[in-house]
Amino acid sequence: MKKVVSSVLVAATMFGNAHFAVQEVSAMEKNPLNEKKILNVAHRGASGYAPEHTIPAYELGDQQKGDYVEVDLQMTKDGELIAMHDEELDRTTNGSGYVKDYTLEEIKQLDAGSWFNDRYPSYAKDDYIGLQVPTLEEVIERFGRSARYYIETKSPEVYPGMEERLLEILEAYKLIGPNPASSQVIIQSFSPESLKKVHEMNNDIPLVQLISYSSPAEITEEELVEYSEYAVGLGMNYTQIDREYVEKVRSHNLLIHPYTVNEKEDMRKLLEWGVTGMFTNFPDRLEEVLKEN
Ligand code: G3P
Ligand code: CA
């Protein structure tokens, strides 16, 4: 992105039109859906450095210049949306069992940080001990409109009403704009049904269809046309894609945000192929790569 910004400035200055260039760069910064803006998405926060989906991980993602903080959603027994990747509590808390079987009050008693210290001793901090699982509303209250949120409806088939509750919250906090480009959020899901439901309720929210490939990725023209009817972009595991795949997706003007890219060499390769952003546990690394040119 920095390369694009400087290229625009240099070109415009050469042609004596620096004012136009500054306007163009400013518009690009304001519109994160601009294809020239490479999005740095802090995957579960800066989750390479801090316990995923906790406020410290999100804060670090913000400090490390993530354009979006990624929030995976699960829903409690009493209908509250919480930030958690797994349907079960076991991996990232000291609890056990399914989120859907516990109330928010019960989940708030759990420790969502100590597991990280045990698993990643080189990044361990005493401050992580006893961290709570945040609700979506707590995350939004912490960062307000100064951040952007890349929110995933996880297992929506397990949680009837998840999309309605999500939109209620986003509307209450005024995070949805009058058009997709002005939205403070992107909603993503592996479930086309969930995304289509959101699209029917509010078509001003940009949507990203997630895809998980277990073999080299192939995508048909028909699939791309179908996705384009409701989504602004696609996100997929980067390990199964190649340049041809990226170019095919881009030829339909869909954004492409592969996940989860943690090594600089992979970041450089994907940028060279033409991706428009990516999810990373290490937003600082992507920021450094983007500054290289
Ligand atoms: O949302 C992009 C990426 O996060 C999808 O995979 O399993 O990390 O939610 P997952
Ligand atoms: Ca996710």
Side-chain angles (χ1 to χ4, degrees), residues 43-44 70 72 85 152 154 188 190 210 259-260 279:
H43 183 245
R44 314 181 194 177
E70 196 229 1
D72 291 320
H85 177 273
E152 181 176 350
K154 281 278 184 208
Q188 51 168 338
F190 286 101
L210 298 175
Y259 63 84
T260 303
F279 296 82

Side-chain angles (χ1 to χ4, degrees), residues 58 71-84 99 102-104 107-108 133-140 151-156 158-170 187:
Y58 295 143
V71 184
D72 291 320
L73 292 182
Q74 303 285 342
M75 199 171 185
T76 64
K77 187 177 175 181
D78 48 346
E80 296 295 338
L81 295 180
I82 61 167
M84 187 172 289
V99 171
Y102 291 88
T103 63
L104 178 61
I107 286 172
K108 281 291 185 184
V133 175
T135 64
L136 175 62
E137 287 187 272
E138 286 168 344
V139 178
I140 294 170
I151 300 175
E152 181 176 350
T153 56
K154 281 278 184 208
S155 311
V158 175
Y159 304 116
M162 177 182 236
E163 294 86 359
E164 287 84 350
R165 180 70 187 125
L166 171 58
L167 264 59
E168 196 176 273
I169 291 171
L170 298 180
I187 296 180

